Amino acid sequence: MGLVNSVEMFKKAYAGGYAIGAFNVNNMEIIQGITEAAKEENAPLILQVSSGARKYANHTYLMKLIEAAIVETDLPICVHLDHGDTFELCKSCIDGGFTSVMIDGSSKPFKDNIALTKQVVEYAHDKGITVEGELGRLAGVEDEVKVSEKDSSYTDPDDVEEFVKSTGVDSLAIAIGTSHGAYKFKGDAKLRFDILEEVQKRLPGYPIVLHGASSVIPEYVDEINKYGGQMPGAKGVPEDMLRKAATMAVCKINIDSDIRLAVTATLRKYFAENPSHFDPRQYLTPARAEIKKLVKHKLVSVLGCNGKA
Ligand code: G3H
Ligand code: 13P
Ligand code: ZN
């Protein structure tokens, strides 16, 4: 099918009560693990690239790897900029072939967020590219910017209609208690489904995005801690909560940390069991296989988008 924007994906996901997985990609093995899983499950996909990923792997390398994945899978794939923070960054990704961008003005005052988002929407829509905006602030770390719990804030449902109407943005990321990284909750996990419900009421049929949605799979954390890692207290969003969100207005669920944990757990175990190995193909093979297994599980049991490509 090839490169697509998010319009049709979200329309079908909203109507079908499922969500599209938006997985962060940084290298060949991650792209292969995710896209092989999606191919076997016949699932639509969003592959998202942060500015950190672009710095690490280079825009052209990532674009070409994704083009290769399209040739190999024939799936509809949306290539999306994750957490764009300036008009120039969004423009550079659009000009470089991305089919969707996020402009994250969530740290700015409301009016400034509207102005910046509108500027990106005008440039993007002219070229058939979709735009995600954000209202409310998630705690956690993204691109080395740490948002403390104190500076995080839930989305105010009173703001969403004005934001969407005056920007023309295609989807909206909201803050309901998820956060980036591997340490999301100190006590019990709690998401503000009341806010999601209220947003859904104010914006009927409109696609909502959930960031910080890794489950921080306990088996990976246990494995990492067993083989010399130190991640005590790591905790994520329970999968049943994500499943519930996917049946509501949430059409896009962002997952990065779980992939990082899958790779790290696999490599720690591998090196403990094979201390003399030094060929990257040997240890990256099981890491890539674990990403594939993890993504298949997410597509089928969390997102419900298997068979929907
Ligand atoms: O939201 C952040 C994503 O997990 C991407 O992380 O900025 O370190 O690439 P990164
Ligand atoms: P996690 O850290 O929960 O995987 O969230 C990733 C994310 O929201 C990327 O934008
Ligand atoms: Zn995010």
Side-chain angles (χ1 to χ4, degrees):
M1 260 207 78
L3 280 178
V4 296
N5 66 23
S6 64
V7 172
E8 282 306 308
M9 280 187 186
F10 288 168
K11 214 183 270 174
K12 288 199 214 159
Y14 200 106
Y18 62 88
I20 311 291
F23 300 97
N24 286 74
V25 297
N26 294 279
N27 67 13
M28 182 185 77
E29 285 76 11
I30 294 174
I31 291 171
Q32 289 176 331
I34 296 167
T35 56
E36 283 171 21
K39 183 180 182 181
E40 285 184 16
E41 296 302 340
N42 194 32
L45 260 187
I46 297 175
L47 297 180
Q48 55 186 13
V49 175
S50 67
S51 68
R54 264 174 117 229
K55 274 185 212 126
Y56 171 75
N58 171 302
H59 180 100
T60 311
Y61 276 90
L62 290 173
M63 212 49 217
K64 295 293 173 194
L65 286 167
I66 293 169
E67 282 168 16
I70 287 170
V71 172
E72 291 298 318
T73 63
D74 200 28
L75 286 173
I77 295 182
C78 172
V79 189
H80 175 76
L81 168 66
D82 192 26
H83 293 285
D85 58 350
T86 61
F87 172 79
E88 290 69 28
L89 174 56
C90 292
K91 180 178 182 300
S92 161
C93 288
I94 293 168
D95 294 347
F98 283 24
T99 52
S100 183
V101 292
M102 175 188 194
I103 177 68
D104 181 355
S106 61
S107 61
K108 299 186 185 310
F110 186 62
K111 294 284 175 210
D112 296 354
N113 188 359
I114 287 182
L116 177 60
T117 306
K118 190 162 180 256
Q119 188 191 9
V120 172
V121 168
E122 278 165 6
Y123 187 78
H125 281 186
D126 237 20
K127 300 176 164 50
I129 305 306
T130 40
V131 182
E132 173 185 329
E134 179 164 332
L135 268 182
R137 249 195 130 191
L138 271 68
V141 187
E142 70 202 38
D143 264 342
E144 288 147 37
V145 179
K146 192 167 177 352
V147 181
S148 68
E149 258 175 80
K150 172 170 75 56
D151 293 329
S152 67
S153 60
Y154 293 117
T155 302
D156 183 346
D158 283 344
D159 290 339
V160 299
E161 284 162 287
E162 185 186 344
F163 187 79
V164 167
K165 217 190 227 162
S166 41
T167 58
V169 78
D170 302 283
S171 61
L172 182 67
I174 61 169
I176 59 167
T178 62
S179 59
H180 292 108
Y183 301 87
K184 300 188 192 296
F185 300 100
K186 288 211 182 76
D188 288 344
K190 191 174 176 315
L191 293 194
R192 293 287 304 274
F193 280 101
D194 57 322
I195 295 179
L196 176 56
E197 262 169 36
E198 197 50 43
V199 168
Q200 189 166 349
K201 258 190 232 155
R202 310 282 181 106
L203 299 171
Y206 187 85
I208 298 302
V209 177
L210 213 54
H211 282 248
S214 278
S215 297
V216 187
I217 298 191
E219 287 76 7
Y220 291 147
V221 176
D222 290 348
E223 199 94 313
I224 288 168
N225 289 334
K226 178 174 165 191
Y227 291 104
Q230 286 187 13
M231 298 191 70
K235 195 168 188 178
V237 186
E239 290 186 341
D240 58 337
M241 290 189 186
L242 296 168
R243 189 81 234 43
K244 180 176 167 186
T247 64
M248 298 170 69
V250 171
C251 293
K252 172 175 180 271
I253 291 189
N254 285 12
I255 298 168
D256 186 5
S257 295
D258 275 336
I259 291 179
R260 297 178 177 192
L261 292 166
V263 172
T264 304
T266 306
L267 292 184
R268 282 198 176 274
K269 181 166 188 275
Y270 186 91
F271 286 120
E273 290 173 354
N274 302 280
S276 64
H277 285 191
F278 65 97
D279 180 345
R281 293 171 300 184
Q282 287 179 309
Y283 54 81
L284 292 177
T285 296
R288 180 174 57 190
E290 194 58 45
I291 294 171
K292 181 173 172 183
K293 186 175 143 208
L294 165 73
V295 171
K296 278 173 81 110
H297 165 73
K298 297 279 183 189
L299 297 172
V300 175
S301 306
V302 180
L303 301 152
C305 61
N306 50 313
K308 310 289 188 187

